[in-house]
Amino acid sequence: MAAICVFCASSTTLEQKWLDLATRTGEELAARGHTLVSGGGCVGMMGAVADGARAGGAHTLGVIPQSLVDLEVADLASDELIVTGDMGARKNLMIERSDAFITLPGGLGTLDELFEVWTTATLDLHAKPIVLLDPDGFYDGLLGWLGQLADTAFVRSAALERVIVAKSIGAALDAVEEHLT
C-alpha cells in the first residue's frame, strides 16, 4: 500500500474534536494497510494521528528536526524516527518518503507543509495526490481566497485543481487510493 503523509496541528490546546479527527484518520489509514509519514511529533493532532495509526497496526515514520527533539516533543514510539538538521530538510524528506499527502486542520506549520507540496506539484516536481480533509469547512476561507487569486491570474486555475477537497476521512483516503492506482 501507500506511504501517506498527514499534515496537521501539533498544538496542545485544541478542542477534542480535532484530536478525535486525527485519531480516526490514523486508524482508518491503518485499516486500509497504509504507512503513516508524519512530522515526528508526539503532541496535538500529530501525536493523535500517529497513535491512531499505530493502534491499528500501521507502520509509522516520523521526520522531525533536531530543534523539536530538543524540546522533547519527538514521537519516540515511531517505528522509524528520522532526525533532520532543520525544517527545510524535514519537509524535503517527508515529500521524498511519501506517495500522497492528506492535510487536516492546522496552523502556520500545517499551511507551510501544504503549500510546499502544492507548489512543488504545480511545478511538476512530483505528481503525488494532495488531499485537503475539511469535514467542517475549516478551510473554506482559504479556498475562497485562493479562488479569488485565480480570478485575478495570480494563481492558475490548474494549480487549484491539484488539491482534492474531501469532507470525510473515507473520501480522503478513497481519493488517494484512486490517484495511486
Side-chain angles (χ1 to χ4, degrees), residues 94-144:
M94 291 169 78
I95 292 169
E96 179 183 314
R97 295 288 301 265
S98 301
D99 300 312
F101 307 92
I102 296 177
T103 302
L104 304 180
L108 292 177
T110 302
L111 291 172
D112 176 53
E113 293 163 334
L114 169 64
F115 281 111
E116 181 81 17
V117 298
W118 197 346
T119 300
T120 53
T122 62
L123 295 172
D124 291 325
L125 298 176
H126 69 82
K128 300 171 183 181
I130 304 166
V131 178
L132 194 61
L133 177 53
D134 191 17
D136 294 330
F138 184 87
Y139 286 110
D140 285 353
L142 175 66
L143 294 170

Side-chain angles (χ1 to χ4, degrees), residues 145-157 160:
W145 177 69
L146 290 169
Q148 291 174 356
L149 289 179
D151 292 342
T152 60
F154 278 100
V155 174
R156 293 176 312 189
S157 294
L160 295 181

Side-chain angles (χ1 to χ4, degrees), residues 1-2 4 32 34 99-102 127-131 162-166 168-181:
M1 299 307 313
I4 301 175
R32 293 185 184 213
H34 299 297
D99 300 312
F101 307 92
I102 296 177
K128 300 171 183 181
I130 304 166
V131 178
R162 295 299 298 253
V163 172
I164 303 157
V165 179
S168 70
I169 297 165
L173 288 166
D174 288 347
V176 164
E177 291 166 352
E178 286 171 19
H179 280 80
L180 292 176
T181 57

